[in-house]
Amino acid sequence: MTPALPVDDRELRYEPYDFGRPAQLGREHTRQLEAAFEAFARLWSAQLTAKTRMRAHLSLEGVELVAYDEYADGLPATTAMVAASFAERDETCIVQFGLDSALLWVVQMMGGRSTTLPEARTFTPIEMALVRHLMAETFENLGASLGPLLPGEPVLGGVHYNPQYLQVISASAAVVVARYAMRLGDIQTTATVMLPASAVIDGLAQTGANAATAHPAGLALAQVRSTPMEVALRLAPITIGAGEVLDLAPGDLLRLPHPETTPFELVAGSMPIARAVPGTRGSRLACTITTIHEEKNR
């Protein structure tokens, strides 16, 4: 009997690298995209709730970098894919959702009421006009949410039904895909947003470069200077026993070791910063700074 060959521990710990998939996003870039797509989810949810008069909620399930053909293969054979282009660049982004979800929006916008998803089918001319009007505002929300990550404002294009026939980018090109869980009333469904990676990477690099200089030293110093801080005048402290404290009563006299001619300590928290003498200004008490403690003592 041939003995079993030993298994290298590294084969168990590491997954084989798939050269067919694009390189993955860095952790910092992923966080930036997740924050932007979550902001878009909030805006889109509010828009759908206002337009369809039913409670809509979207939650981001994840952001990934995949090849376009992998994204298209994972979509239903018939679905709603609304394309938009960027004026500054010849590239296209897509917002995808179920045809049944869109038909439910139309029913609600037309004054109807439904607790189930309609049967999926292509849009009539009137339904198409309503969906396009709705999606024009959706792409405005997408541009507002992703801001500098996009190469410009997305401009609404066409509505397509078959992901296999919609070839807006080469099959092997890398795309950024945000996947959402969508709730319409009590109905659960899904939606996705696809952006060409080439349209986003430049924005991510630019925002990363700006982040290093977004908070110069002068801005940090200005923030420190504007931070509120309580200051107080303090006499020289006296030390007494705990029993004396417990026996204190109105009318008792404590002799403080602070000479009458010695200025008070001006303290911020428990840190002495200056000396000052008490006085008045109008009807309010005031103090006049006499000396500032040396920087090394503050």
Side-chain angles (χ1 to χ4, degrees):
M1 184 174 180
T2 303
L5 296 175
V7 178
D8 191 342
D9 289 343
R10 290 174 296 181
E11 295 181 4
L12 301 177
R13 289 180 299 179
Y14 305 112
E15 296 183 2
Y17 182 78
D18 185 358
F19 288 92
R21 292 176 63 91
Q24 296 303 299
L25 292 167
R27 183 176 301 176
E28 184 62 31
H29 288 170
T30 300
R31 282 198 294 263
Q32 284 181 263
L33 287 170
E34 286 175 345
F37 281 121
E38 285 173 352
F40 171 65
R42 291 190 292 271
L43 290 177
W44 197 12
S45 299
Q47 178 204 0
L48 290 176
T49 299
K51 297 292 185 180
T52 65
R53 296 175 297 169
M54 68 184 304
R55 180 68 176 175
H57 177 75
L58 283 95
S59 58
L60 180 66
E61 292 186 330
V63 178
E64 57 183 343
L65 186 68
V66 299
Y68 178 74
D69 59 350
E70 182 179 348
Y71 165 68
D73 290 342
L75 297 178
T78 304
T79 187
M81 301 180 70
V82 186
S85 59
F86 302 105
E88 290 79 2
R89 297 176 64 159
D90 185 19
E91 293 175 310
T92 302
C93 63
I94 292 173
V95 174
Q96 175 272 330
F97 43 85
L99 287 169
D100 47 5
S101 300
L103 292 172
L104 177 60
W105 302 341
V106 172
V107 169
Q108 293 291 132
M109 287 189 290
M110 295 291 289
R113 290 292 180 269
S114 179
T115 57
T116 59
L117 288 173
E119 183 179 354
R121 57 171 174 78
T122 58
F123 303 137
T124 66
I126 293 178
E127 291 166 347
M128 177 69 77
L130 289 172
V131 171
R132 287 181 60 85
H133 178 74
L134 189 68
M135 293 309 298
E137 185 176 343
T138 299
F139 279 110
E140 290 179 4
N141 292 333
L142 182 64
S145 301
L146 272 71
L149 299 182
L150 297 179
E153 290 294 328
V155 180
L156 178 65
V159 179
H160 307 269
Y161 300 116
N162 193 320
Q164 301 305 320
Y165 293 156
L166 179 61
Q167 198 69 32
V168 297
I169 194 172
S170 65
S172 60
V175 294
V176 175
V177 179
R179 302 187 185 277
Y180 293 98
M182 179 186 291
R183 188 173 69 248
L184 305 169
D186 296 328
I187 300 171
Q188 299 286 342
T189 182
T190 60
T192 64
V193 175
M194 186 281 289
L195 300 173
S198 57
V200 179
I201 296 302
D202 291 344
L204 288 171
Q206 186 64 33
T207 55
N210 291 341
T213 59
H215 302 287
L219 182 60
L221 181 59
Q223 183 66 31
V224 171
R225 291 183 179 277
S226 62
T227 301
M229 177 177 293
E230 292 186 358
V231 295
L233 286 179
R234 185 176 68 181
L235 299 170
I238 181 175
T239 302
I240 61 176
E244 295 179 78
V245 174
L246 295 175
D247 292 338
L248 287 176
D252 288 350
L253 182 66
L254 291 177
R255 184 181 180 85
L256 299 175
H258 192 103
E260 185 177 356
T261 57
T262 300
F264 296 166
E265 289 281 2
L266 184 67
V267 296
S270 60
M271 179 67 66
I273 57 175
R275 290 182 179 273
V277 293
T280 59
R281 184 170 185 177
S283 60
R284 295 181 178 276
L285 294 175
C287 67
T288 302
I289 304 296
T290 58
T291 57
I292 298 293
H293 291 312
E294 293 294 332
E295 186 69 26
K296 64 180 179 180
N297 296 328
R298 285 197 276 168

